[in-house]
Amino acid sequence: MAVYGYARCSTSEDKQDINRQIRELKAAGADEVIFEYEHGDTKVKKNLHMLLDTATKGDTIITMEVSRLSRSTQQLCEIIDTIREKRLRLVIVGSITIDCRNGQTDPMSEAFLQMAGVFSQLELAMIRARVRSGMANAKAKGKKVGRPQTTKDDIPAVFYKHYPAFASGNMNVSELARICDLSRPTVYKYLKLIMA
């Protein structure tokens, strides 16, 4: 039976280090760790869904906190249903274990997991409320809020180096993104700036 770890951070690799979660999951017994950078209440977490699809009867999924799985109680309930239907075991390290390998769940453990999900969703709502309040306060003081506007000066030299090949039709957007080590949305943003 396989033991999978699941780790998640809400922001990109350069802003949050996911390696701590990966190390702790391996120490807790995970043979393989699936991870992704996605917000907790995002409806579709591709790697988590892939993991739940891949796991088979008797497998175990380990994660460090309930909030790593989801910050939405509805999503958490859907995950619990999948765990039950596929006869898996879910371990929240150091707190809750739901073992459905025999086709049933312990009602108390399931209730504790759902309550943890409620608090996780509440925590996210409180964080967002504080951020909105802080932004409103900063605006009231005349400060600029949000991401700085991207200009042509922000476009890296490597993009300008390979842009002519794209403009002449010798390279598509995906190739341009790959060769410049940029995401496709970033490439589209730079193209829009250049063509403006």
Side-chain angles (χ1 to χ4, degrees):
M1 305 298 171
V3 179
Y4 299 101
Y6 176 72
R8 182 191 60 75
C9 282
S10 59
T11 56
S12 62
E13 215 168 323
D14 58 333
K15 293 183 181 173
Q16 270 191 335
D17 182 9
I18 205 164
N19 292 322
R20 176 190 60 82
Q21 287 181 61
I22 293 170
R23 282 191 304 272
E24 290 178 4
L25 288 167
K26 286 184 176 176
D31 302 318
E32 180 184 353
V33 177
I34 309 300
F35 66 92
E36 63 191 324
Y37 294 91
E38 200 58 83
H39 286 282
D41 62 342
T42 300
K43 288 186 179 178
V44 178
K45 298 179 190 72
K46 290 179 185 174
N47 291 351
L48 176 58
H49 280 258
M50 181 270 298
L51 172 57
L52 291 169
D53 284 344
T54 303
T56 57
K57 182 180 175 182
D59 288 349
T60 297
I61 296 173
I62 304 173
T63 193
M64 296 309 299
E65 303 164 13
V66 173
S67 62
R68 297 302 106 206
L69 290 174
S70 180
R71 285 189 177 270
S72 157
T73 50
Q74 179 184 346
Q75 288 174 24
L76 187 60
C77 288
E78 290 167 3
I79 291 167
I80 293 170
D81 287 343
T82 303
I83 297 291
R84 187 186 301 109
E85 287 164 15
K86 296 195 78 172
R87 294 188 171 210
L88 306 173
R89 184 171 71 123
L90 174 64
V91 177
I92 312 298
V93 176
S95 60
I96 305 164
T97 296
I98 291 191
D99 193 343
C100 301
R101 291 175 295 184
N102 66 358
Q104 298 176 344
T105 57
D106 169 37
M108 191 65 78
S109 297
E110 187 171 337
F112 276 126
L113 186 60
Q114 288 173 350
M115 281 191 285
V118 168
F119 285 115
S120 181
Q121 184 172 328
L122 173 64
E123 180 185 31
L124 180 62
M126 290 170 68
I127 289 168
R128 287 182 172 163
R130 281 196 300 268
V131 168
R132 282 193 299 271
S133 173
M135 289 173 71
N137 188 41
K139 277 184 183 177
K141 290 179 178 178
K143 294 181 181 175
K144 287 191 175 184
V145 177
R147 291 183 181 176
Q149 188 80 23
T150 303
T151 66
K152 287 184 181 179
D153 294 336
D154 298 316
I155 299 174
V158 68
F159 185 86
Y160 283 115
K161 178 182 174 183
H162 297 288
Y163 174 74
F166 169 81
S168 64
N170 294 324
M171 190 182 292
N172 64 31
V173 170
S174 295
E175 291 166 332
L176 182 59
R178 183 182 49 76
I179 205 163
C180 295
D181 196 26
L182 298 167
S183 68
R184 284 171 49 102
T186 300
V187 167
Y188 281 119
K189 180 168 63 176
Y190 291 166
L191 290 173
K192 189 176 177 183
L193 282 170
I194 287 174
M195 295 172 183

